[in-house]
Amino acid sequence: MTCALAGCAGDGKGLDENGRPEGESTGTLQPTFQSIQANVFTPVCTACHAGAAAPLGLRLDEGASYALLVNAPSVEVPELRRVQPGNPNASYLIQKLEGTAARGGRMPLNQPALPPETIAVIRQWITDGAPNSTSAGGGGGGSKTRFELVTLTAVSPARDETVPAPVRDIVVVSDVQLDASLLQSNLIQLRASGGDGNFDSGNEVSVPVDATVRSDLPTVLSITPRAPLAADSYELRISGTEPVALADMQARPIDGDGDGVPGGDFVLRFTVEMTR
Ligand code: HEC
Ligand SMILES: [Ca+2]
């Protein structure tokens, strides 16, 4: 629908669904993440790749796209990353745009392919190491608070969202570099409600997870259940409370509960439902 409104010419240039004049900030496409987001992902791809129903869980809206592309495994070809920094040929995103992917259709699906010049700019960004040129992955967070508080933002699933099964991983970002060595302890807990949507009724089930850091600045945490999540409600809890708190490199604990003071647990609830 976004696509229809914006005209969706598929030429990857200057289409801005927010109606901003072309060239306000980015002008012609540049090999930066911000420019690619504004000129390609937002106007062309988010017609499909947005929200809980995004194909293969790939959200390309601002605030989610970086965390779900860079170093994130492809669902269709799990051996490949969607974006492999420094290596466009091995990046599944490029293969999907060029029509050389081993599975599925060429992107944007059922529309004219992006022009080669546009794909060349995206290739260049990947060759340059796929840096993030926007301030934070979470979309919110002004630059003021950036160095004062360590906050986490849920990217996928979003808070209180209902997403289709299977859910392969939970992605959370921080605008500050986190101390990844802390992830080895059990400060991350995922629980299933036991089918009743209630997390205090005594029948909750603890779900084992592995946590990895996909990229720094923003820090992208991928929390992967050992098996894809079945239909139920879930609660992810990341401790911001001593003695085992997630913290940044300066050992400042996260402001998990978002009350403006360091400390407190980060709690994300979401629901997984069976697809028909
Ligand atoms: C009309 C809907 C639609 C549009 C527009 C669209 N896609 Fe897709 N995309 C899909 C669907 C459906 C799939 C899964 C099936 C397939 O690959 O053909 C997919 C799969 C993908 C995958 C594979 C993800 C993985 O983990 O394996 C990538 C990468 C991708 N799209 C990127 C893009 C980009 C970049 C754009 C914009 C240039 C875009 N898509 C536009 C519908 C769309
Ligand atoms: Ca329960």
Side-chain angles (χ1 to χ4, degrees):
M1 337 124 241
T2 314
C3 198
L5 285 172
C8 214
D11 66 1
K13 282 178 190 162
L15 296 177
D16 189 338
E17 65 161 8
N18 300 317
R20 279 177 302 212
E22 251 187 55
E24 183 198 77
S25 57
T26 45
T28 53
L29 186 62
Q30 305 288 319
T32 66
F33 179 67
Q34 194 174 26
S35 180
I36 294 166
Q37 179 68 50
N39 293 288
V40 181
F41 296 154
T42 297
V44 182
C45 313
T46 57
C48 302
H49 288 277
L56 308 178
L58 176 55
R59 299 163 193 231
L60 292 174
D61 49 309
E62 205 175 333
S65 53
Y66 191 87
L68 299 179
L69 282 173
V70 177
N71 287 320
S74 151
V75 171
E76 290 180 336
V77 181
E79 304 80 52
L80 293 179
R81 294 177 183 187
R82 288 167 174 163
V83 168
Q84 168 89 52
N87 192 342
N89 288 334
S91 297
Y92 198 62
L93 170 70
I94 294 297
Q95 300 187 3
K96 291 298 275 184
L97 292 174
E98 293 183 338
T100 59
R103 295 188 55 191
R106 184 172 187 176
M107 296 295 135
L109 198 64
N110 302 327
Q111 289 171 30
L114 298 181
E117 313 85 71
T118 301
I119 298 175
V121 172
I122 301 173
R123 279 184 161 273
Q124 185 62 49
W125 167 67
I126 297 174
T127 301
D128 293 345
N132 183 15
S133 54
T134 57
S135 57
S143 53
K144 246 232 159 137
T145 55
R146 196 169 162 194
F147 299 100
E148 291 160 10
L149 284 175
V150 186
T151 56
L152 300 182
T153 306
V155 168
S156 171
R159 200 170 285 280
D160 299 324
E161 195 172 53
T162 297
V163 289
V167 169
R168 295 176 184 81
D169 62 356
I170 302 159
V171 179
V172 173
V173 300
S174 170
D175 48 2
V176 173
Q177 190 174 0
L178 299 174
D179 184 352
S181 68
L182 294 169
L183 295 175
Q184 304 311 317
S185 58
N186 65 345
L187 52 70
I188 299 181
Q189 283 176 351
L190 181 65
R191 292 188 305 153
S193 79
D196 56 7
N198 182 316
F199 294 93
D200 292 309
S201 55
N203 64 343
E204 293 73 34
V205 183
S206 185
V207 181
V209 294
D210 295 307
T212 53
V213 174
R214 266 185 204 160
S215 82
D216 296 326
L217 293 176
T219 302
V220 177
L221 287 182
S222 168
I223 298 152
T224 313
R226 303 265 162 85
L229 300 178
D232 198 348
S233 294
Y234 292 86
E235 182 187 83
L236 175 77
R237 182 176 289 268
I238 302 178
S239 174
T241 312
E242 303 290 1
V244 279
L246 184 59
D248 73 354
M249 304 306 282
Q250 282 80 47
R252 296 180 304 170
I254 55 167
D255 173 19
D257 51 5
D259 65 353
V261 179
D265 291 354
F266 172 86
V267 178
L268 166 67
R269 287 185 179 176
F270 59 92
T271 300
V272 177
E273 65 175 13
M274 290 318 289
T275 34
R276 292 138 204 261

